[in-house]
Amino acid sequence: MKNTSNNKKIILLKKELDKVGIKYEETKGEYFPTYSQMHNRAAIIPQIVVSPCSDWGVARVLSLLTSLEIYENTSVSVRSGGHGYFNGASCDGIMINLSMMDNCHLNENIISLQPGCILGKIIYLLHQNNKALPHGDCFDVHAGGHFTTAGWDFILSKKYGLGCQHVESAKIVLWSGETLVVNEHSHPDILWSLKGGAAAEIGVVTELNLKVIEAPSTASWCLKLMSKNQLKVCVANKTFLKAHHLPREISVSFRIHFEPGYSEPMCSFNVFSLFSISETLKILRQELGETVVKIIENSDDWKTGSILDVRMITASDYLTETPEAISEVTSEKLRRSPLTYWEETSWKREMVDSYFTTLSSWSIPDCDQMFLDLINACEKIKDHPLKWRMYILTASGGAKIKEKRCSMELGEVLTRFELHWDEPNGEDEYYAKEFTEDINIIIQKYRDSGPKRIYRGDIWLAEQGYCEKLEKIKAKYSLSTNKISSHKLTCSSLVMR
């Protein structure tokens, strides 16, 4: 009887959507439409994908779902970009797809973004207006999830915080269909939840307004591949720990991966700075010591340019030479012709649609020995094809992130791991999960026990996002959501992807 009743409700929903002209597609759980594709190939496929194009459309969809009591027996999820590790954006019922809502505009120091707007478009708009905003480095991440859960930036976050901390106001449609304008004076509890808490799952965010900064006049960076002996020098000198206390204009990260042309795993010593190269090296000599700086002082290893140039580090030669083309990038173009826009090795390690495992942990700043432990572990897979599909990154965030108001608990050093493969239930998957566990054991040895939850943008299990204060906000504004997908109902999109 329940199934018969539910089927009648779905028929009524489709009839009403047809009546008001809101696009939907019945997938029968067999495929994702190209405009709502998930990057995680293991994502559950919904029965119906509904794609509103406006605030009114979103409100109408949610009102219908509520009035027809579809939540009672059908799961509902919301997708802005499909980058989520934990696929809260996907369910076996109805997916609300926001990719059609992709407008963005800049008014003085505020950038207004609809949830389906991709970072590529945002990057170019900011560049045109000599503005900047902390955010991740994948052109295909969508604004909805990115700026409500994350926004880690290698060059800007240490000084300016996370992207989600720049949210000034927003529009959100509650599950009842009621639209709220949210700011410091109107529903400030929801505004707080938008700064890293995915709006406490109380509805669907249809517009985000973020405060931007003037684009820094100088950007310099060095991505130095080190031999194992050079890494040992860094570890012996406590380089990462010392780098954690550098001025906020200088950010350091260590990245372990396999690089074409090298048989062994490599560790990249990455420095991003808002100072000139000469001034940066002067400070590094003072704080890290001459022995360490000798590893990265070669002028050929350093670049200088604009913030846009920093955004192009993982770009293809074509996009690097023609950065204006980023204004034309869309999710479908990036899927159809990825190497037109991305450098191949970065694409395979991070941006490709695939099956994958992932780890995220707040680490203690005194974690230099971890890099040698990880290199030693990676040496064991140097003859396996999956070696090209992984990376381990440890980045120092600094105090500014923790100073700014935010609804997620934050540490000061973030360690992340990803490993991708293409075919399910086979030897590669077994090997990947076994290796992931080896890496996890090492990372956990250096875990910062202070923060109780991982970085919100890296959540892959629903329970990892639990926060009592966010739950109270959800209870205050939500309908009963026991049948609604329990994570990131505003979106699904991650900072480092």
Side-chain angles (χ1 to χ4, degrees):
M1 181 66 71
K2 279 187 178 180
N3 285 339
T4 301
S5 174
N6 200 52
N7 288 340
K8 287 181 179 179
K9 291 177 181 179
I10 297 297
I11 290 170
L12 285 172
L13 172 67
K14 292 188 292 185
K15 183 178 179 180
E16 290 300 314
L17 292 175
D18 284 331
K19 186 185 297 185
V20 297
I22 294 176
K23 180 179 179 177
Y24 69 89
E25 185 163 346
E26 295 184 82
T27 71
K28 299 180 180 179
E30 296 174 355
Y31 67 94
F32 279 102
T34 56
Y35 52 82
S36 64
Q37 194 75 32
M38 299 291 291
H39 279 250
N40 187 346
R41 288 170 56 189
I44 300 169
I45 300 174
Q47 293 288 320
I48 301 175
V49 176
V50 182
S51 301
C53 297
S54 66
D55 293 0
W56 177 86
V58 171
R60 186 66 182 141
V61 170
L62 298 193
S63 295
L64 286 170
L65 294 175
T66 301
S67 62
L68 294 171
E69 298 181 335
I70 285 176
Y71 296 134
E72 288 187 0
N73 296 297
T74 302
S75 59
V76 177
S77 64
V78 184
R79 170 199 180 276
S80 68
H83 283 74
Y85 291 112
F86 167 72
N87 284 293
S90 182
C91 67
D92 61 3
I94 297 171
M95 173 192 284
I96 301 171
N97 166 55
L98 303 176
S99 64
M100 307 296 183
M101 300 178 65
D102 64 352
N103 291 331
C104 65
H105 65 271
L106 191 66
N107 183 14
E108 296 183 349
N109 291 322
I110 298 292
I111 187 168
S112 298
L113 308 171
Q114 287 190 310
C117 185
I118 68 172
L119 279 185
K121 191 172 181 179
I122 296 166
I123 288 168
Y124 194 68
L125 177 62
L126 292 170
H127 172 69
Q128 282 183 310
N129 290 274
N130 198 36
K131 302 292 184 181
L133 177 69
H135 59 69
D137 59 2
C138 177
F139 310 136
D140 192 23
V141 167
H142 291 55
H146 193 59
F147 291 113
T148 61
T149 66
W152 193 298
D153 192 315
F154 289 120
I155 192 165
L156 296 178
S157 281
K158 190 173 179 181
K159 185 173 176 64
Y160 296 104
L162 302 172
C164 65
Q165 293 171 318
H166 286 246
V167 175
E168 295 279 299
S169 63
K171 286 183 186 176
I172 184 168
V173 183
L174 303 182
W175 295 109
S176 63
E178 179 186 1
T179 300
L180 300 180
V181 174
V182 175
N183 54 45
E184 286 286 359
H185 307 289
S186 174
H187 309 288
D189 52 350
I190 300 179
L191 179 64
W192 177 84
S193 75
L194 283 163
K195 295 174 180 282
E201 304 169 8
I202 65 172
V204 178
V205 175
T206 59
E207 182 181 87
L208 288 166
N209 301 301
L210 297 95
K211 189 171 184 178
V212 299
I213 60 172
E214 294 297 318
S217 58
T218 302
S220 56
W221 62 96
C222 172
L223 311 178
K224 175 63 177 179
L225 286 175
M226 295 188 291
S227 68
K228 189 173 182 179
N229 284 336
Q230 288 174 318
L231 176 58
K232 287 179 178 178
V233 170
C234 290
V235 171
N237 284 273
K238 295 279 188 180
T239 300
F240 190 84
L241 176 60
K242 292 176 181 176
H244 183 66
H245 302 290
L246 288 167
R248 292 180 177 181
E249 289 80 5
I250 304 176
S251 303
V252 169
S253 60
F254 278 18
R255 180 189 180 100
I256 295 170
H257 62 275
F258 285 86
E259 185 75 12
Y262 298 87
S263 60
E264 303 293 324
M266 305 298 292
C267 184
S268 177
F269 186 160
N270 303 329
V271 182
F272 291 90
S273 176
L274 299 176
F275 297 131
S276 66
I277 295 173
S278 59
E279 188 174 359
T280 302
L281 285 170
K282 179 182 177 182
I283 295 170
L284 293 178
R285 282 191 174 91
Q286 292 171 348
E287 302 299 327
L288 306 185
E290 185 67 32
T291 303
V292 169
V293 173
K294 281 184 178 179
I295 297 173
I296 57 172
E297 67 180 352
N298 190 319
S299 60
D300 292 339
D301 295 324
W302 284 85
K303 308 291 182 190
T304 189
S306 66
I307 290 296
L308 179 63
D309 294 320
V310 175
R311 307 304 184 204
M312 295 291 118
I313 287 174
T314 59
S316 65
D317 290 343
Y318 160 71
L319 193 57
T320 301
E321 294 165 3
T322 318
E324 298 81 7
I326 199 171
S327 63
E328 294 290 324
V329 169
T330 65
S331 290
E332 292 195 50
K333 287 180 181 179
L334 286 163
R335 281 188 166 86
R336 187 172 64 246
S337 182
L339 298 184
T340 300
Y341 304 102
W342 277 315
E343 183 264 334
E344 185 173 6
T345 55
S346 294
W347 169 67
K348 285 183 177 179
R349 282 195 298 259
E350 300 178 54
M351 289 82 170
V352 65
D353 294 353
S354 63
Y355 299 89
F356 54 84
T357 58
T358 180
L359 301 170
S360 177
S361 178
W362 294 113
S363 300
I364 57 173
D366 189 3
C367 63
D368 285 84
Q369 180 59 40
M370 179 175 71
F371 305 121
L372 276 179
D373 295 347
L374 291 170
I375 280 282
N376 291 336
C378 290
E379 285 175 350
K380 298 174 184 177
I381 69 164
K382 65 181 182 180
D383 296 321
H384 197 284
L386 283 184
K387 70 180 183 180
W388 304 114
R389 309 293 299 278
M390 62 133 291
Y391 76 91
I392 310 164
L393 173 71
T394 300
S396 182
K400 193 64 176 177
I401 290 179
K402 298 188 74 173
E403 286 173 6
K404 295 175 76 73
R405 193 164 179 250
C406 186
S407 54
M408 61 174 148
E409 198 171 2
L410 296 168
E412 295 186 348
V413 173
L414 180 65
T415 296
R416 304 179 69 250
F417 163 82
E418 285 185 37
L419 175 57
H420 297 249
W421 66 92
D422 295 322
E423 299 299 329
N425 306 317
E427 183 181 332
D428 280 355
E429 181 171 343
Y430 174 81
Y431 191 92
K433 290 182 176 179
E434 188 175 53
F435 180 65
T436 299
E437 183 55 33
D438 292 341
I439 296 300
N440 186 48
I441 290 170
I442 295 170
I443 290 174
Q444 291 307 308
K445 285 171 56 180
Y446 300 89
R447 184 175 67 87
D448 182 348
S449 60
K452 299 299 185 289
R453 291 179 299 280
I454 66 170
Y455 180 52
R456 182 84 191 203
D458 286 350
I459 286 172
W460 71 92
L461 297 173
E463 58 268 25
Q464 291 173 322
Y466 179 82
C467 169
E468 185 176 353
K469 187 173 179 180
L470 288 172
E471 288 298 311
K472 288 179 179 179
I473 294 171
K474 183 165 116 177
K476 177 181 176 181
Y477 289 96
S478 292
L479 300 168
S480 174
T481 56
N482 61 322
K483 295 294 182 181
I484 303 173
S485 179
S486 62
H487 174 60
K488 291 186 186 174
L489 285 165
T490 54
C491 51
S492 180
S493 193
L494 291 184
V495 61
M496 296 280 204
R497 299 203 61 207

